Amino acid sequence: MRDTSKRIQKTKDEIANALCSLLETEQYDVITIQEIADSCSVTRRTLYRHFKTKDEILHHCFKGCATQFSTYIAAHAPKDFREFCIVYFSFWNENMNMLSILNKSGIMYRFASEFESLVLMMSSQIGQGDPKANAKHTENSKYKYHFAYRTAGFWHVTELWCQEHPRKSPKEMADIMIEITSFPKDISIIGK
């Protein structure tokens, strides 16, 4: 008996990778389902068997990236905020091509809107601590607000950082993030 789940996952990944490849040169809105199917050498029928819409394919791409991110963070197990910042920017530094594609194809904002919930979901799935504690923690609305604030802030800084030339190192970005989050008394948040 063949393992169809692995084959299905492989086909889904190939379709998603085809979309990512097309995004290197085209805007998301102009890419067609037929182009995606042709790019990965599957029929439209096969593509539609796995994904109902182009947005579902894009979501699969985002989910794959969020899984890689969560796994990377877990593997490096940062012990404090500075270490977390270094690991965070190291991941994106290693995946700068993905950020460039998102930015160039005009879908950076779509990724940001899904990334937060995907990372939260992935981090609980890859075993960040006790699953029961994670479930209780995730249900805590205060934690959700903290997580949303942190990921949105990090994402906006990441957007600026990926557009810099030359780009600051992950360690330099960690120092900047520590400075940003410490809110020194001489910096006005409102801009008086």
Side-chain angles (χ1 to χ4, degrees):
M1 192 155 95
R2 292 193 282 187
D3 187 357
T4 56
S5 64
K6 283 185 181 179
R7 191 178 42 159
I8 289 169
Q9 187 62 43
K10 183 178 183 243
T11 303
K12 285 180 137 185
D13 291 345
E14 287 172 357
I15 293 168
N17 289 337
L19 174 59
C20 287
S21 293
L22 290 167
L23 287 170
E24 290 181 35
T25 57
E26 296 181 54
Q27 292 286 309
Y28 176 75
D29 294 337
V30 299
I31 296 172
T32 66
I33 289 290
Q34 188 62 56
E35 281 182 280
I36 299 168
D38 291 346
S39 181
C40 63
S41 303
V42 299
T43 64
R44 282 175 63 105
R45 183 177 176 191
T46 298
L47 189 145
Y48 279 121
R49 198 175 315 142
H50 297 288
F51 299 103
K52 293 179 183 142
T53 66
K54 185 170 66 169
D55 285 348
E56 280 188 15
I57 302 169
L58 186 63
H59 177 76
H60 188 77
C61 294
F62 292 168
K63 187 175 179 183
C65 186
T67 301
Q68 288 175 6
F69 176 78
S70 296
T71 303
Y72 189 91
I73 296 292
H76 288 82
K79 293 170 184 54
D80 58 30
F81 183 68
R82 185 172 195 286
E83 234 179 84
F84 174 81
C85 291
I86 292 170
V87 172
Y88 174 90
F89 286 104
S90 293
F91 173 82
W92 286 116
N93 199 45
E94 292 172 19
N95 292 280
M96 190 54 64
N97 188 47
M98 175 67 154
L99 287 177
S100 297
I101 290 170
L102 293 169
N103 196 27
K104 196 177 351 175
S105 62
I107 57 171
M108 186 83 96
Y109 70 96
R110 291 182 75 168
F111 181 75
S113 68
E114 286 194 45
F115 190 68
E116 177 188 315
S117 61
L118 288 170
V119 168
L120 187 57
M121 178 185 70
M122 291 299 121
S123 63
S124 64
Q125 287 180 358
I126 63 167
Q128 295 279 9
D130 177 20
K132 289 179 185 174
N134 281 337
K136 191 180 272 186
H137 206 60
T138 302
E139 290 170 13
N140 179 343
S141 64
K142 185 177 178 182
Y143 175 75
K144 289 179 184 179
Y145 288 124
H146 281 261
F147 190 81
Y149 175 77
R150 289 176 186 149
T151 54
F154 265 95
W155 189 251
H156 289 297
V157 169
T158 305
E159 285 181 275
L160 292 172
W161 173 71
C162 82
Q163 295 171 21
E164 286 183 336
H165 296 286
R167 194 169 297 108
K168 290 173 183 55
S169 73
K171 287 182 180 179
E172 290 172 310
M173 290 306 298
D175 292 338
I176 289 169
M177 292 304 292
I178 288 170
E179 185 180 326
I180 290 169
T181 57
S182 65
F183 295 110
K185 291 179 178 145
D186 61 333
I187 294 178
S188 172
I189 295 173
I190 300 174
K192 290 181 181 178

